[in-house]
Amino acid sequence: MSPEDKTENTKNDKGSHLDEQELKKVFIGAIDAGTTSSRFIIFDGTGNPVAQHQIEFKQKYPQSGWHEHDLKELIDTVRECVEKGTQAFIDDGHDASEIKCIGITNQRETTLVWDTETDEPLYPAIAWPDTRTKKLVRDLKAQKGAGDLQDLCGLPLSTYPSSVKLKWLLSNVDAVRKAYDEARLSFGTVDTWLIYQLNGGKQNNVFVTDATNASRTMFMNLHTLKYDEKLLRFFELDQKKIHLPEIVPSSSPDAFGTIASGLLKGTRITGCLGDQSAALVGQKGFTPGSAKNTYGTGCFLLYNVGEKPVISKHGLLATVAYHFGRDQKPTYALEGSIAVAGSGVKFLVNNFEFIESSHMISDLAATVDDNGGCVFVTAFSGLFAPYWIDDAKGTIFGITQHTEKGHIARATLEATCFQTKAILDAMEKDSSRALTELAVDGGMSNSDLCMQTQSNIIGIPVDRPAMRETTSLGAAIAAGFAIDIWKEFSELKEINQAGRKVFEPSITKEESAKMFKKWGRAVEMCRGWVADEDGDEDTADTS
């Protein structure tokens, strides 16, 4: 029986076991460890945020195509956000003990390694958009058995998953190889590192990951939710030499431990979801066929396919959507991942100084009526789904003396919208079902112009909530289910419903098709741009 069916069969027995006034007195903390910032948001049981704190952390780009984070900065900013967010909650007249539990959501695929014996990082975190592994990926694709991997783990070989990043570290960083050879190498994604550190590190040794994050490594069998020996052998990993976190459900009353210090000392961590899964949960995408698109640093579209994974034949990823444990089976999703979305807007701010801040992008784009013939393929990290073109770089086509800043701004927004259209087309082919509406969230969704453009290009309504912190809300929902703040999905039906805005298509299908055809031509023209540069980009002296 699916969770959706179970909801229908039991909601009359249990109903909403807490009324609205009771829910307003229940509070859940959500740690959102994103790609560019950490934040802590406290929600009440109706899904309303009541206190929060956010800190941006440093992005490191030591070489072209490299993207790194400092492991200690990741945990330090999270701790500071928790303390300051909780203090704001207290200053508003509450007591810290009113926060019943904490959920965590995090950037996925980012790869962290540390010394099991000392808890010290062995190398900076290699962030998910990093492309230093593209030559390694091509070599791996030529290996025997490469064609079998996706059926097991749901992911194609690319620079995206954690597996190739870890393999690069073992081949290029002496300290990492030495720790592996001496069986003291710990590996994890961001969730594992944060949970481990928040629990006090080695002293309490809460070393876990949830199924949604584990499904992004290429080490977990998507069907069994366990590490797969065939996958590990392909990447030449010996489980006796590397410490891999235990895979647990996304919602659990005891698997994630408790906060070891600070204002929330003793508070249980009861939920953990990779950020895109968290956004699907926050958008209440519990029914097969529902979908959401999150416009963050990158852009990620998840489509609920139910209790059995669908291995894509059209360039998408199969992933765990969420697993709420107990007697419920995991729910799976098809995913389309776009490497550059909000980071494209930041590029216009930081590199070209077109605007002073990202929120001004719509005003700049509105200074012109259209893109003026410009198409911007924002392939800063190659192109992800459904194209998987590793040898492309950012390319602007159609520049003339007529071109203004506003045209480039429009083309930047449209690039994400076009890639979303390509992903939706692939999802329709894989699932044999056309989407009728798209739920959206994330920073770029704040732009009415961008969301109207998105609706025009995909030809279906785009539904945007008023409260767009759906990723953090999803983490809070997972945590709350673990301790029975909610018991059934039906109890969430009123959460985050107020003030939603729906954008309807305002151009013809013929006009939309003409725009998308030009985008497709630009994608084909950007192929092979770095084909002759591979010799030096993938290796460096890091000993």
Side-chain angles (χ1 to χ4, degrees):
M1 181 182 294
S2 71
E4 294 75 26
D5 292 335
K6 185 180 176 185
T7 297
E8 292 302 313
N9 290 340
T10 61
K11 65 183 180 182
N12 293 329
D13 297 331
K14 295 181 179 179
S16 294
H17 67 289
L18 298 178
D19 64 30
E20 184 176 357
Q21 292 306 311
E22 289 174 315
L23 287 169
K24 285 183 177 180
K25 298 176 183 178
V26 174
F27 300 96
I28 305 169
I31 293 169
D32 186 346
T35 305
T36 60
S37 69
S38 300
R39 73 181 72 186
F40 182 62
I41 302 179
I42 300 168
F43 294 91
D44 67 21
T46 68
N48 182 48
V50 297
Q52 61 181 295
H53 193 79
Q54 181 174 358
I55 302 171
E56 289 197 3
F57 50 81
K58 189 174 182 180
Q59 308 296 306
K60 300 181 179 180
Y61 306 100
Q63 295 189 41
S64 175
W66 293 32
H67 189 174
E68 297 177 351
H69 296 144
D70 183 287
L71 274 73
K72 291 189 175 181
E73 190 174 13
L74 292 179
I75 183 60
D76 288 348
T77 54
V78 164
R79 284 184 173 130
E80 184 175 351
C81 285
V82 170
E83 291 300 293
K84 290 186 175 179
T86 303
Q87 188 60 55
F89 181 71
I90 294 169
D91 292 344
D92 199 35
H94 296 283
D95 191 274
S97 64
E98 294 177 53
I99 300 173
K100 299 303 180 185
C101 58
I102 292 173
I104 292 178
T105 182
N106 57 281
Q107 56 167 314
R108 306 166 303 167
E109 296 90 24
T110 295
T111 301
L112 293 75
V113 288
W114 63 95
D115 189 312
T116 304
E117 297 177 359
T118 66
D119 285 357
E120 286 298 309
L122 294 169
Y123 193 80
I126 300 181
W128 60 267
D130 188 286
T131 59
R132 75 185 69 184
T133 56
K134 61 182 178 293
K135 183 179 184 300
L136 172 60
V137 168
R138 283 196 293 277
D139 292 341
L140 289 171
K141 286 180 177 178
Q143 279 188 198
K144 183 180 179 181
D148 302 330
L149 301 183
Q150 191 166 358
D151 287 341
L152 291 173
C153 67
L155 308 181
L157 276 168
S158 74
T159 60
Y160 188 30
S162 309
S163 54
V164 294
K165 296 175 173 65
L166 178 58
K167 190 166 178 63
W168 185 92
L169 286 165
L170 287 166
S171 300
N172 291 277
V173 183
D174 289 347
V176 176
R177 169 53 68 173
K178 190 171 188 291
Y180 175 80
D181 290 339
E182 296 175 0
R184 53 181 176 82
L185 178 64
S186 287
F187 156 83
T189 43
V190 170
D191 58 310
T192 296
W193 172 250
L194 295 181
I195 291 167
Y196 182 74
Q197 290 293 334
L198 289 170
N199 274 275
K202 185 180 177 180
Q203 179 179 354
N204 293 311
N205 196 32
V206 180
F207 187 52
V208 297
T209 186
D210 94 296
T212 68
N213 280 293
S215 72
R216 315 304 295 186
T217 62
M218 292 192 80
F219 301 144
M220 186 190 82
N221 186 305
L222 201 60
H223 309 272
T224 65
L225 305 192
K226 298 182 183 298
Y227 292 115
D228 189 286
E229 276 300 325
K230 184 174 181 179
L231 294 169
L232 293 171
R233 280 198 306 271
F234 181 86
F235 293 105
E236 298 180 297
L237 293 176
D238 182 347
Q239 286 200 73
K240 295 178 181 178
K241 293 185 175 182
I242 187 169
H243 297 259
L244 300 174
E246 179 186 358
I247 301 170
V248 299
S250 313
S251 180
S252 170
D254 49 30
F256 304 111
T258 60
I259 302 290
S261 61
L263 291 172
L264 294 184
K265 182 178 180 179
T267 305
R268 281 189 289 174
I269 304 169
T270 57
C272 178
L273 290 160
D275 52 9
Q276 304 315 316
S277 288
L280 183 68
V281 170
Q283 290 276 18
K284 296 172 292 180
F286 301 123
T287 305
S290 56
K292 69 88 202 173
N293 203 18
T294 298
Y295 302 78
T297 301
C299 187
F300 302 88
L301 201 159
L302 260 66
Y303 180 97
N304 184 328
V305 297
E307 293 181 354
K308 293 183 179 180
V310 174
I311 305 301
S312 177
K313 305 299 182 185
H314 299 94
L316 303 178
L317 312 178
T319 194
V320 178
Y322 53 86
H323 183 205
F324 277 10
R326 298 184 180 177
D327 59 342
Q328 294 191 9
K329 295 180 179 179
T331 296
Y332 295 91
L334 280 169
E335 176 174 339
S337 306
I338 300 169
V340 175
S343 58
V345 178
K346 280 189 174 291
F347 172 78
L348 298 187
V349 176
N350 298 332
N351 296 51
F352 283 178
E353 298 182 347
F354 278 9
I355 46 181
E356 292 181 5
S357 62
S358 296
H359 74 271
M360 300 171 68
I361 185 69
S362 288
D363 292 338
L364 177 58
T367 61
V368 293
D369 294 330
D370 52 38
N371 62 25
C374 286
V375 178
F376 189 179
V377 183
T378 51
F380 303 150
S381 301
L383 283 175
F384 283 13
Y387 306 106
W388 300 108
I389 305 172
D390 291 336
D391 58 2
K393 283 200 175 177
T395 317
I396 303 176
F397 297 95
I399 293 178
T400 68
Q401 288 184 322
H402 170 68
T403 304
E404 301 176 9
K405 291 179 181 179
H407 296 128
I408 303 298
R410 273 193 180 261
T412 302
L413 295 177
E414 288 172 356
T416 301
C417 299
F418 285 132
Q419 289 176 83
T420 297
K421 160 72 171 168
I423 288 169
L424 284 175
D425 287 349
M427 285 184 172
E428 183 175 346
K429 293 174 184 175
D430 277 328
S431 66
S432 300
R433 183 187 305 181
L435 196 67
T436 57
E437 185 176 83
L438 181 64
V440 298
D441 52 65
M444 282 177 67
S445 72
N446 293 326
S447 166
D448 285 3
L449 176 61
C450 184
M451 293 301 96
Q452 184 60 59
T453 300
Q454 184 67 89
S455 180
N456 289 346
I457 289 172
I458 62 179
I460 58 175
V462 167
D463 181 0
R464 184 182 69 187
M467 198 288 290
R468 292 189 270 285
E469 299 293 352
T470 51
T471 302
S472 297
L473 179 60
I477 288 171
F481 261 91
I483 63 168
D484 289 339
I485 291 175
W486 307 283
K487 294 182 178 180
E488 307 295 341
F489 292 142
S490 61
E491 297 177 40
L492 299 168
K493 61 184 178 182
E494 297 303 322
I495 283 184
N496 205 21
Q497 285 299 105
R500 298 185 80 95
K501 183 173 182 177
V502 177
F503 297 84
E504 301 279 354
S506 61
I507 64 173
T508 66
K509 291 182 178 180
E510 290 75 20
E511 289 174 301
S512 176
K514 184 177 179 181
M515 293 170 67
F516 190 61
K517 184 177 180 181
K518 181 177 282 189
W519 163 262
R521 194 159 71 244
V523 168
E524 290 306 310
M525 292 171 68
C526 82
R527 289 180 182 271
W529 188 255
V530 295
D532 297 326
E533 298 180 11
D534 295 326
D536 300 322
E537 279 198 31
D538 302 301
T539 58
D541 182 6
T542 55
S543 59

